[in-house]
Amino acid sequence: MYCYYFVSSRFLIFASLFFSLFAFSASANTIHVPGDQATIQAAIDAAVNGDTVLVSDGTYTENIDFKGKAITVKSVNGASVTIIDGNAANTVVTFSTQETADSVLDGFTIRNGAVSSGTFTGSGIYVGGASPTIKNNIITNNSGCQGSGIDVQFASPVIQGNTITNNKQAGCSGGTGGGGILIGGASAPQILNNTISGNSTGVDGGGISLFAAGTPTISGNIISGNTAAGVGGGIAMANDSDAIVTDNIFTGNTANQGGGIAALVPSGSPGPTVVNNTFFADTATADGSEFYLNGFYAQTNFFNNIFWGSANLTAVLCDTGYSSDPPVFQFNDIYSPQGTTLGGACSTLGGSNHNISVDPLFVNAPSDFRLQPTSPAIDAGSNSAPHIPEKDIVGNDRILAASGQCSAVVDLGAYELGQSSSLTLNPLSSTFPAQLVGSTSSALSTTITNNGAAAVTVCAVNPTGDFAQTNTCGASILAKASCTVSVTFSPTVHGQRTGFVQIITSDGGSPQIISLSGTAVEPTFSAAPMMYRFPASQQVGTTSPPTTVTVTNIGDGPMHISSSSTSNSDYGQTNNCPDQLSPNASCDYLVTFSPTAAGERPGFLTIISTGGAGQIQLYGAGNDFSLAAANQGGTSVSVAAGATANYTLEVAAANGFNSTVTLTCTGAPSEAVCTVSPASITPTGSASQFTVSVTTTAPSLSGMPLGEFVPPALWLALFAMTALVIFTRRRGWVSGRLAYPASVAVVILVIGWSAGCGGNNSPPKNSGTPKGTYQLSVTGAANGVSRPLSLTLTVN
């Protein structure tokens, strides 16, 4: 059993790794239809996140569901030759499993979708609670109760570059409309650069219906020929649908009210923002051929639009059924050659707030709504309008100056007049290398050349962002001459930084732009460890082995270390850090602990750098010992000469000191000896005792041999006299009665000399340890550290 389990476990692990690797390798696969899978849905089912389903030309009769997968489903040769036909069986394409922008439908004709009668979901494409990308498709001939082309519910897809045409409401009445597109439920979808035409509904929003739709962006679209039986032939907005509507063309749309747009603004809602759109000859059976506004619309914004009204109708009607306060309506051209320009609460706005009512002079209405060079709509807008797009409907730069003028002012409508330029810029963009935040780069230059036959006035050279410029252009650039704009980069924050230099001149292409970008880098200080405790207590007066603190620059710019210090004398440091530390480089600080007192000794190492400051917390404990009198002992003793003085002392340990202490005694008086027992001691617990003994000497007159105090000459004389007596007696020269007295006389002479020490007639004596008070010193030494204790000795 054990062997089986072991083999099986290894097999399962191997299998798991194999399939994981397989899944990873498959994450970037392309699945071909019909080469690898016969149907698009089969390919979707086989795909994993990151895959591309690539579909060859043909008609595929099926209804597909992305099933939450982050994949791209794309045609090989575009929508005109790659068709997904729903066969009137259901919705053609469904996104309803929280798909994201990485779920992409690209390049198909989506047609013949239909749902059962009374089913209020989209027929062509249904997006529910998801945010896919839908682009470059033809969505046509789908029918349903609402959102016949695309139905978006509580979702934020990107709908871009599609043709949404000839979709219609069928099989039911009512609903929230949207012949082409329905946006229902608060969300933030983007409807960009589509052609939305020929769609119809029996309710509202022939082209687009917004119902409680939040803040969708509708920009760059051509919305034409759509029909609504209710309101809003082009777009209908209701119930907190605060759309941003910019750069669109509305033409030929029809509704009961609001042929172009109808908006019902509830109380408390700001309503839509309508900027730089062109409305031309939309119609309404009631009124408001271009725009019908109702509700509480005082905060609704209209800027830089052109409204060309239809005959016998009011172009812009602000219904006073709920409010008589006009909207914010400025810098618009409202022109109606055979009708009324403004009505209702908006009727007083003509000729005020920079509004005009003149023929905008389109190039060729109703097919070409570009402005003629003499159009009064050129440079007639407000550069301060909210949400002005950077490009016009065909991608031209916005806010260009009219030829020969220095001021750059936005044009009205969906198109910005582009004029030929005599200036060339080389290069048109500059990318700066990595630059430290707070520093300034070297300059990068662009050359401006005037290729024309006349001088060009230089009105302003304006940098933006973290960039600055100097230039040699002066007040004008002469014909066929050049000048230079030099730009520096001084980043203020970390990361990718972009900006531009706007060059405003009298040239027809003004303003010209030099695009700028640069990467701002900065160092980031890191240290490890940020807290360190020295593992063992350290004897006061000694130094521990070093510990290492590693400093690393974890940022992307070079880091300068300006200073480093320890907080007190208990700690010291050395380091191998250079003046500047490159990104991802490290260096080391060696920190030592030298306690100046026993007990806890907290401190820190502070390092200051351009990547920030670091304070490393340091902890260490100092231990120590001292010499002191033991309990009931003392450091002063009195003794008589000849006695021994004993001191009972102890080695007192502080904070766990446990090293061996060598003990010595110095300073004993003459004729005295100081000894320590034991001569070394290792404290156990807080203190350990030892004894110091001082042995003194008593004074003395005896015990000294004669030879120590009788001079040798006297001994020689004594010997000579004794020998003479003996010799003369034997010879008979001296009588016995004279020999013995002579000998005694010599002995008496020697004794007398000895007693008088030659001059005093007395022998030398030992005076012992002198009386007095003496200071002795006992010293304990351990690990190179000495601790003294003074002893007092009184000799009586």
Side-chain angles (χ1 to χ4, degrees):
M1 289 296 292
Y2 175 82
C3 181
Y4 174 79
Y5 173 80
F6 178 76
V7 172
S8 298
S9 298
R10 293 189 64 179
F11 174 78
L12 289 173
I13 293 171
F14 175 81
S16 175
L17 290 172
F18 175 81
F19 285 114
S20 296
L21 290 172
F22 179 80
F24 178 81
S25 65
S27 64
N29 279 354
T30 297
I31 302 173
H32 296 85
V33 178
D36 298 321
Q37 297 289 339
T39 66
I40 299 173
Q41 187 63 56
I44 292 173
D45 293 343
V48 298
N49 290 345
D51 281 356
T52 296
V53 174
L54 192 59
V55 183
S56 296
D57 302 354
T59 299
Y60 299 84
T61 303
E62 54 182 307
N63 307 88
I64 67 172
D65 188 338
F66 268 64
K67 298 182 177 180
K69 295 185 177 181
I71 59 174
T72 296
V73 179
K74 179 180 173 63
S75 67
V76 174
N77 293 311
S80 63
V81 292
T82 316
I83 301 163
I84 306 176
D85 191 313
N87 197 32
N90 206 336
T91 302
V92 183
V93 181
T94 298
F95 299 92
S96 62
T97 318
Q98 299 180 343
E99 288 85 358
T100 68
D102 293 326
S103 300
V104 180
L105 180 70
D106 183 359
F108 295 90
T109 293
I110 308 299
R111 75 182 189 191
N112 204 14
V115 295
S116 58
S117 179
T119 300
F120 287 87
T121 57
S123 303
I125 298 174
Y126 174 70
V127 182
S131 302
T133 300
I134 301 167
K135 64 181 182 179
N136 305 323
N137 302 286
I138 300 172
I139 302 163
T140 185
N141 293 318
N142 299 285
S143 61
C145 291
Q146 62 185 28
S148 302
I150 302 176
D151 184 2
V152 177
Q153 297 294 326
F154 299 98
S156 300
V158 175
I159 301 171
Q160 185 171 18
N162 303 281
T163 298
I164 304 167
T165 184
N166 295 326
N167 301 285
K168 63 183 179 179
Q169 183 183 34
C172 59
S173 60
T176 49
I181 299 173
L182 169 64
I183 307 295
S187 54
Q190 299 179 67
I191 303 173
L192 310 173
N193 309 111
N194 303 280
T195 297
I196 304 170
S197 64
N199 304 286
S200 63
T201 178
V203 282
D204 303 327
I208 301 172
S209 177
L210 307 178
F211 191 86
T215 56
T217 297
I218 302 172
S219 183
N221 303 281
I222 298 174
I223 302 173
S224 65
N226 302 286
T227 303
V231 300
I235 301 176
M237 307 181 193
N239 294 352
D240 295 304
S241 296
D242 305 320
I244 298 168
V245 183
T246 64
D247 262 350
N248 302 283
I249 293 174
F250 295 85
T251 183
N253 300 289
T254 302
N256 181 46
Q257 292 175 309
I261 295 179
L264 175 62
V265 182
S267 177
S269 172
T273 298
V274 183
V275 178
N276 277 106
N277 300 279
T278 297
F279 295 80
F280 180 84
D282 299 292
T283 61
T285 55
D287 217 340
S289 65
E290 306 311 316
F291 211 107
Y292 173 75
L293 188 62
N294 201 352
F296 302 89
Y297 43 69
Q299 299 180 66
T300 299
N301 289 285
F302 293 83
F303 284 88
N304 305 343
N305 301 286
I306 297 174
F307 298 96
W308 179 303
S310 294
N312 304 317
L313 295 170
T314 302
V316 178
L317 178 64
C318 301
D319 197 305
T320 58
Y322 294 95
S323 174
S324 59
D325 294 329
V328 179
F329 197 91
Q330 301 177 11
F331 296 90
N332 301 285
D333 183 8
I334 315 97
Y335 181 67
S336 187
Q338 295 178 328
T340 303
T341 55
L342 296 165
C346 294
S347 60
T348 61
L349 299 176
S352 64
N353 297 321
H354 304 280
N355 297 307
I356 59 176
S357 296
V358 294
D359 187 345
L361 297 180
F362 296 127
V363 169
N364 186 21
S367 59
D368 188 344
F369 298 103
R370 291 176 298 157
L371 302 174
Q372 296 179 35
T374 57
S375 168
I378 295 172
D379 288 353
S382 168
N383 292 352
S384 300
H387 299 289
I388 293 179
E390 293 183 0
K391 304 287 184 179
D392 72 359
I393 193 170
V394 291
N396 292 325
D397 289 336
R398 275 290 185 188
I399 315 182
L400 297 175
S403 182
Q405 299 182 19
C406 280
S407 58
V409 180
V410 66
D411 298 344
L412 304 185
Y415 291 92
E416 188 83 7
L417 179 66
Q419 300 187 39
S420 61
S421 172
S422 63
L423 299 182
T424 57
L425 280 67
N426 184 34
L428 284 169
S429 63
S430 292
T431 299
F432 289 82
Q435 188 70 31
L436 274 172
V437 172
S439 66
T440 299
S441 72
S442 299
L444 298 179
S445 297
T446 290
T447 299
I448 304 174
T449 301
N450 180 5
N451 301 293
V456 171
T457 301
V458 178
C459 308
V461 182
N462 300 321
T464 65
D466 292 340
F467 302 92
Q469 68 82 30
T470 58
N471 67 82
T472 63
C473 298
S476 65
I477 307 172
L478 299 178
K480 309 302 180 181
S482 298
C483 64
T484 300
V485 177
S486 299
V487 182
T488 56
F489 177 37
S490 302
T492 56
V493 296
H494 179 262
Q496 188 68 27
R497 309 296 291 163
T498 59
F500 57 86
V501 174
Q502 182 187 59
I503 303 164
I504 301 174
T505 66
S506 60
D507 181 67
S510 175
Q512 280 89 359
I513 299 295
I514 304 171
S515 297
L516 304 171
S517 64
T519 301
V521 299
E522 61 182 355
T524 302
F525 175 90
S526 176
M530 289 299 293
M531 187 280 286
Y532 183 77
R533 177 178 291 276
F534 284 83
S537 63
Q538 187 72 30
Q539 185 176 330
V540 172
T542 64
T543 300
S544 72
T547 189
T548 300
V549 174
T550 299
V551 171
T552 304
N553 177 8
I554 61 174
D556 52 10
M559 183 173 74
H560 169 64
I561 298 176
S562 56
S563 67
S564 53
S565 61
T566 52
S567 60
N568 54 53
S569 59
D570 290 305
Y571 296 95
Q573 65 85 18
T574 59
N575 66 81
N576 63 357
C577 293
D579 180 66
Q580 186 164 280
L581 205 58
S582 300
N584 300 315
S586 299
C587 62
D588 292 329
Y589 280 76
L590 300 180
V591 182
T592 55
F593 176 43
S594 304
T596 57
E600 287 293 317
R601 308 297 294 169
F604 46 82
L605 168 65
T606 300
I607 302 169
I608 307 297
S609 75
T610 54
Q615 191 171 81
I616 294 87
Q617 295 293 323
L618 301 171
Y619 296 93
N623 64 58
D624 203 358
F625 70 95
S626 61
L627 306 184
N631 290 338
Q632 300 179 351
T635 58
S636 295
V637 175
S638 296
V639 294
T644 298
N646 292 309
Y647 301 83
T648 303
L649 308 176
E650 64 182 14
V651 176
N655 201 36
F657 175 84
N658 60 1
S659 297
T660 298
V661 178
T662 300
L663 300 165
T664 58
C665 180
T666 59
S670 62
E671 303 300 327
V673 177
C674 184
T675 59
V676 182
S677 179
S680 63
I681 192 169
T682 302
T684 58
S686 61
S688 295
Q689 293 185 356
F690 65 96
T691 301
V692 173
S693 299
V694 182
T695 302
T696 64
T697 303
S700 174
L701 294 175
S702 62
M704 296 182 67
L706 289 177
E708 292 185 12
F709 62 85
V710 177
L714 289 179
W715 286 111
L716 182 60
L718 177 60
F719 177 76
M721 287 295 294
T722 302
L724 177 61
V725 170
I726 296 170
F727 179 76
T728 56
R729 184 178 179 187
R730 288 182 178 179
R731 292 288 183 179
W733 296 344
V734 181
S735 67
R737 287 179 299 176
L738 292 176
Y740 286 107
S743 298
V744 172
V746 172
V747 171
I748 291 171
L749 176 62
V750 171
I751 292 173
W753 177 270
S754 299
C757 294
N760 296 324
N761 299 318
S762 63
K765 64 182 178 181
N766 180 2
S767 61
T769 302
K771 295 179 180 182
T773 299
Y774 303 95
Q775 296 296 319
L776 289 75
S777 179
V778 177
T779 302
N783 302 322
V785 175
S786 297
R787 297 287 183 259
L789 175 65
S790 181
L791 302 179
T792 301
L793 173 66
T794 301
V795 180
N796 298 318

